[in-house]
Amino acid sequence: KQFPPGINAEYGRKRRKLIGTIKHDRYYFTKVVGHPDKFSDNIALSFRDVLSLDGKLTKTWQFTYVVDLEWLLEEYPDNAAEGPIFLFLGEKQAKEVQDQIMLQKKTTSQPKKYSRIIVVPVSLPLAYGTHHTKLMILQSEQGIRVVIHTGNLVMADWTVKTQGVWVSPLCPLLPEGMEEDKIDDPDCLRFKSYLLKYLGAYNTSATDQLTRILRKYDMTGVTQVKLVGSIPGMHTDSFYGTLRLQKLLSLFVDDTKVRPGWRIVANCSSIGTLGSTAAEWFDKFVRALQTTKGGDKTSRQALFQLVFPTVEMIRNSLEGYCGGGSVPYHLHTHRRQPGYEITCVTGTVKNTVDHVSYLTSKPTLDCHLT
C-alpha cells in the first residue's frame, strides 16, 4: 500500500526473463521495479530469478529476519510449487508466522500450500539478540546452490530497495559412497567447512538435517569467497565476527601491496550504539580492519568512511519516508555519542533505499570477502 501507483500491478504482471549470461560465484544487486532494464542487465537479479536458476527445486532453506508469507509463496516458480520450505526465524517472529499459518489453514481455500512451510524458531540467548541472517540454500535435481543476500523476504526489500546478492556456483553431489570430502581444515578457511560450522551453531534438528545433506555435496568449486558469520555471545576465538574478519585479513591481504592513503569504505543499513567515545569500541573495530598479512596494524593507518543516506534521499525514494524504517539511526542514540561525525552520501540506485551492508578496502585487489 505504500508503493507508488502501478508498482504492485507492474510487478504482478511482469515475469522477468533470466539473463542467459549470468555468472555465478559473484556479487549482484536486486532489480528495482520501474527502473529501465539497462540498470539491471548482467548485474541484478529478482527474487524469482534466484529461485529459477536451476530448474525444479526439491527443497529450500530460507534464513531471514522478516517474512511476508503470501509474497514468498507467490514468488516460487511453478516448477518449485510443492517442495518443502524450511523457514528460520527468531523466536518472536517464528511464533507470529506459525500463528498466521494456522489461521490460513483454517480460513483459506488452499490450505495445502501453507503445509509446505516448516517454521524453525531460532533461540536467541541474549536479551537484545536478533536473528538477522539472510541466507538461502536451494536444492534442485542438479545440485545445491548457496545464496547470501541482504534483503528480508518481503516484497519491498526485493523490488524498491537496493540489496546485495551473492550467488554460489552450482555444487554437485559427491561421488556415490563418498559422504564427505576429507580435507583437514581446523580454521574453517574453506567455504564448506565454515558453512557447516556456522549452521551447527543453530543447534536445531532442522540444521542438523541440513548439514547432513550438505556434507554429500562437492563445494570445492567455491573458491573466491571467505565466509564471516556472527552468532550471539562473547567470543575469544577467531571463528565469528570481527575476530574472524581480522584472521582472514591477516592471512590473505599482502602487506607489501598496501598503498599509502588507502581507505576503508563501509555501507550499513542501520547505526546503533558505537560508544560515547571512539576509544570504547569503534577504534578497535577500525584497527582490526587494517590488519594485513605479516603487517603491523598501526603502521599503515587507513581512513574509515561510512556510506549512509540523508533524510532528503529517503524522502525522494520510491517508498518516501516509509523507506526510512529500513535504515534507522535514532536521534537519542546520536546524542549519546557526540564524538562521531556522520557524512551522508548518495545511494547505489537513484530513488531507492540502500539496504546493503558491506565493507570494502583498496590496499590490494587480491582477496574477496563475503
Side-chain angles (χ1 to χ4, degrees), residues 14-79:
K14 195 172 182 181
R15 175 75 182 268
R16 286 180 171 80
K17 193 174 182 180
L18 278 174
I19 303 167
T21 58
I22 274 184
K23 298 178 182 178
H24 307 301
D25 200 3
R26 61 159 284 185
Y27 191 76
Y28 293 88
F29 293 103
T30 48
K31 291 181 178 178
V32 177
V33 170
H35 276 260
D37 288 341
K38 66 180 180 179
F39 295 124
S40 298
D41 288 349
N42 301 316
I43 64 166
L45 298 170
S46 69
F47 187 75
R48 187 171 294 181
D49 288 344
V50 175
L51 296 179
S52 304
L53 290 173
D54 304 310
K56 183 177 181 180
L57 296 175
T58 53
K59 284 183 183 179
T60 58
W61 293 263
Q62 298 281 0
F63 297 71
T64 190
Y65 173 52
V66 180
V67 62
D68 178 342
L69 283 181
E70 290 295 327
W71 176 81
L72 177 65
L73 290 171
E74 288 175 3
E75 284 302 291
Y76 269 74
D78 293 340
N79 63 358

Side-chain angles (χ1 to χ4, degrees), residues 207-221:
T207 45
D208 289 344
Q209 178 196 51
L210 174 56
T211 54
R212 287 194 294 271
I213 291 172
L214 291 176
R215 290 182 190 279
K216 299 178 181 180
Y217 285 84
D218 182 3
M219 296 188 176
T220 54

